[in-house]
Amino acid sequence: MDPSSTASASAPAPAASTHSGHSGGPAAALSAAVATASRRFQHLLDRSTPHVGHRWLGLAGVVLVYALRAWFAGGYYIVTYALGIYLLNLLIAFLSPQVDPELAEVLGEGPSLPTRSSDEFRPFVRRLPEFKFWYSILKAFCIAFGMTFFSVFDVPVFWPILLFYWVVLFTVTMKRQILHMVKYRYVPFTFGKQRYNGKRAASADDLTLPKD
């Protein structure tokens, strides 16, 4: 047997390239970066949840920035109109109970809101919670702001007609919602409602119990 052939057969195979573990390349790095940014953003959202006043004050600043952008751009009425319709839908969901009492009466299912003082107390649960309401509005204004930089969305329309139609739609929708509140006797706000501090007043039975 040829010694050279034996030596070549017994020689170890070359080490695998160290780059084989990084087959993802830039795509994997981009995916990891997006995941990290998403976690950090979600962490900031979680930390902002209890700061209701600061969140809405920041949203007011975003609304002001969009209003100035739309004013100086001098157009994008369709974008603003679509934004107004979306905000109206969010407002109705924010003011509505999670379980519609009218639908519950028809189906005979689910807990209904109390309509008499003798009914069992049930807290008002919104269909759209406050945080999701705020976050949806924030995303809507950010998206609308980005759309104002693309001329394709600047459709020429007669804006007073859009404004008039939105005002009529808002009036009719809110009238229907207020009538729904009056009919089923619920108020979707907590301002001025009695709050309990966890202390229970002593009852007559407690006062008459014999002491050891």
Side-chain angles (χ1 to χ4, degrees):
M1 181 180 292
D2 189 4
S4 62
S5 61
T6 306
S8 61
S10 60
S17 176
T18 56
H19 297 285
S20 59
H22 303 282
S23 58
L30 179 61
S31 177
V34 170
T36 303
S38 178
R39 286 194 300 268
R40 291 180 178 178
F41 181 69
Q42 185 62 44
H43 177 66
L44 291 176
L45 287 180
D46 295 339
R47 292 185 59 183
S48 67
T49 301
H51 305 287
V52 180
H54 293 84
R55 286 193 284 105
W56 285 96
L57 187 61
L59 177 61
V62 174
V63 173
L64 179 61
V65 169
Y66 174 78
L68 292 176
R69 166 62 185 170
W71 174 267
F72 287 110
Y76 300 96
Y77 303 118
I78 290 295
V79 175
T80 305
Y81 175 73
L83 178 62
I85 295 296
Y86 180 69
L87 295 182
L88 181 59
N89 291 331
L90 292 177
L91 179 61
I92 295 302
F94 178 71
L95 298 178
S96 302
Q98 187 178 26
V99 178
D100 191 348
E102 186 174 0
L103 183 60
E105 284 184 356
V106 175
L107 299 178
E109 299 177 354
S112 60
L113 294 171
T115 58
R116 296 183 299 272
S117 59
S118 59
D119 290 345
E120 179 185 358
F121 170 75
R122 297 186 183 93
F124 181 82
V125 180
R126 303 180 186 278
R127 184 186 306 171
L128 182 65
E130 181 271 336
F131 181 81
K132 290 185 178 181
F133 179 55
W134 167 83
Y135 186 51
S136 299
I137 295 177
L138 179 64
K139 289 192 299 182
F141 271 99
C142 291
I143 293 174
F145 180 79
M147 293 174 66
T148 57
F149 290 94
F150 299 93
S151 59
V152 67
F153 299 109
D154 189 11
V155 180
V157 292
F158 188 58
W159 67 266
I161 294 181
L162 294 180
L163 179 61
F164 175 76
Y165 182 73
W166 186 86
V167 170
V168 171
L169 184 61
F170 176 82
T171 304
V172 172
T173 305
M174 290 306 300
K175 179 181 178 181
R176 185 186 310 161
Q177 184 66 28
I178 292 174
L179 291 177
H180 192 270
M181 295 179 190
V182 173
K183 179 179 179 181
Y184 294 99
R185 300 180 184 180
Y186 68 91
V187 179
F189 302 105
T190 58
F191 302 108
K193 291 186 177 181
Q194 184 179 0
R195 295 182 180 272
Y196 300 92
N197 56 8
K199 296 182 179 180
R200 181 176 62 89
S203 64
D205 295 336
D206 296 335
L207 298 177
T208 58
L209 287 176
K211 295 183 179 180
D212 294 336

